[in-house]
């Protein structure tokens, strides 16, 4: 629980206050600073601030991962729309385990959420090292097993 | 507001709303619980994303745009988590992804009143 | 254009309600209600643009958070029969 992480939580909370309120007079700015500091202090006291509770370490490399994820989501949307509009008999759903090589819980959650966020694949169970995935088409499950998304999330996690 | 922006946001808004309708249709048409999860994914990503983008083009690119981005961020973080929670509970509750026919009936815990 | 989009979203919401009523498993119903909630978030935001009141976006943001917590609470209640410690 390093103080730097508590401070970064404070900055994020105060930033959210500024963007959502849109008022800039000293009284409301003061209220925002006090609220953000109080929440950061409470979270620190709860022991909730670590690489899992406030995974700011993923934020640096996230912009490099985002465009690829958005592109995959767009492609997957088209595939699922086609599957919905085609006859039900043509469906070939499949379930299986996919390797997850992330070293931290935050990285594993990022990978499982990326899988679920991509239409056509849903993570059913996430365990360290492997994720149980249900796919609307067998090909999408095979593609996940090849591990490109796994590798990209690992790259976002960084080498430590 | 220039005409090009208007046309772009027309396309995005109608496209997003259509994706939502298709996702809802999938929720009805697809045969069992696990395949219906994917229809929910279309609504949460494609539908919501295109609608928010279309609305963002109609703002003056100020704090309102930032709020739309924040809504998108919150949806992108919570929607897959909620989908995963429902899917995982269904797995624990006895639905099997390998045996679709078992998922069409009730799960034995309570009988559906219909 | 916001009217057209809103009407389509309302049609989609009505369709998800069919799945919520038909079930057959409780998980289908919870999934349908969760999707219905996501659509509500977008409908509230569209409503803000329709009536030219950007404040609606704050309501939309709060509804997105409530929808998530509500889905988890419904799942937890269904599985355990209570929301916290055994009474």
């Amino acid at each position: 629980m390093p103080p730097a992480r508590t401070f970064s939580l404070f900055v994020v909370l105060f930033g959210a206050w500024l963007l959502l309120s849109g008022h800039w007079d000293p009284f409301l700015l003061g209220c925002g600073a006090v609220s953000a500091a109080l929440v950061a202090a409470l979270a620190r006291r709860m022991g909730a601030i670590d690489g899992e509770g406030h995974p700011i370490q993923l934020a640096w490399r996230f912009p490099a991962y985002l465009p690829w994820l958005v592109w995959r989501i767009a492609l997957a949307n088209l595939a699922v729309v086609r599957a919905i509009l085609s006859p039900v008999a043509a469906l070939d759903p499949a379930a299986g385990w996919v390797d997850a090589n992330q070293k931290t819980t935050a990285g594993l959650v990022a990978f499982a959420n990326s899988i679920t966020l991509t239409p056509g694949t849903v993570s059913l169970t996430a365990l360290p090292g492997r994720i149980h995935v249900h796919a609307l088409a067998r090909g999408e499950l095979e593609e996940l097993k090849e591990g490109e998304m796994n590798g990209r999330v690992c790259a976002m996690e960084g080498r430590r | 507001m220039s005409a090009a922006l208007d046309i772009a946001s027309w396309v995005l808004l109608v496209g997003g709303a259509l994706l939502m309708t298709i996702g809802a249709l999938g929720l009805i048409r697809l045969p069992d619980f696990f395949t219906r999860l994917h229809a929910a994914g279309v609504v949460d990503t494609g539908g919501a994303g295109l609608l928010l983008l279309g609305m963002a083009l109609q703002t003056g690119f100020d704090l309102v745009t930032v709020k739309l981005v924040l809504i998108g961020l919150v949806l992108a973080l919570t929607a897959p988590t909620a989908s995963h929670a429902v899917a995982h509970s269904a797995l624990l509750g006895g639905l099997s992804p390998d045996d679709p026919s078992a998922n069409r009936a009730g799960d034995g815990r309570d009988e559906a009143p219909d | 254009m916001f009217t057209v989009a809103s009407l389509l979203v309302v049609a989609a919401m009505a369709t998800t309600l069919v799945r919520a009523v038909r079930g057959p498993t409780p998980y289908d119903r919870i999934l349908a209600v969760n999707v219905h909630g996501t659509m509500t978030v977008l409908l509230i935001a569209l409503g803000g643009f329709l009536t030219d009141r950007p404040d609606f976006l704050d309501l939309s943001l709060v509804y997105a958070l409530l929808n998530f917590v509500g889905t988890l609470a419904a799942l937890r209640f269904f599985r355990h029969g209570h929301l916290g410690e055994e009474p």
Side-chain angles (χ1 to χ4, degrees), chain A residues 100-138:
Chain A
N101 300 333
Q102 288 73 27
K103 292 178 200 69
T104 59
T105 315
L108 182 73
V109 170
F111 184 37
N113 265 1
S114 300
I115 291 175
T116 314
L117 202 53
T118 316
T121 52
V122 174
S123 60
L124 301 175
T125 309
L127 298 173
R130 63 207 180 114
I131 293 179
H132 194 191
V133 174
H134 185 272
L136 190 56
R138 201 166 290 276

Side-chain angles (χ1 to χ4, degrees), chain C residues 49-87:
Chain C
F49 280 86
L50 264 179
T51 54
D52 214 10
R53 287 171 64 185
D55 330 350
F56 272 45
L57 290 180
D58 296 318
L59 305 181
S60 170
L61 194 60
V62 171
Y63 199 94
L65 294 167
L66 275 179
N67 183 38
F68 174 60
V69 177
T71 303
L72 293 192
L75 280 172
R76 192 176 168 81
F77 189 76
F78 171 68
R79 182 140 193 84
H80 299 286
H82 55 88
L83 292 177
E85 302 299 317
E86 198 74 64

Side-chain angles (χ1 to χ4, degrees), chain A residues 18-20 22 73 77 80-81 83-88 91 93 95 113 116-117 119-126 132 134-136, chain B residues 19 22-23 25-26 29-31 34-35 37-39 41-42 45-47 63 66-67 70 76-77 80-81 83-84 87-88 91 97-98:
Chain A
L18 289 182
L19 291 176
L20 285 176
I73 288 175
N77 263 298
V80 175
V81 165
I84 289 174
L85 296 179
S86 60
V88 170
L91 285 179
N113 265 1
T116 314
L117 202 53
T121 52
V122 174
S123 60
L124 301 175
T125 309
H132 194 191
H134 185 272
L136 190 56
Chain B
L19 272 184
I22 292 174
L25 190 71
R29 272 200 77 200
L30 293 175
F34 289 97
T35 50
L37 277 171
H38 305 299
V42 172
T45 61
L63 275 182
V66 173
K67 272 179 199 167
L70 267 177
L77 285 175
T81 315
S83 282
H84 172 80
H88 189 67
L91 202 64
D98 302 316

Side-chain angles (χ1 to χ4, degrees), chain A residues 5-28:
Chain A
R5 209 179 271 279
T6 310
F7 184 68
S8 89
L9 177 64
F10 170 79
V11 170
V12 170
L13 289 173
F14 192 49
W17 173 288
L18 289 182
L19 291 176
L20 285 176
S21 83
H23 292 282
W24 298 89
D25 56 285
F27 174 69
L28 285 172

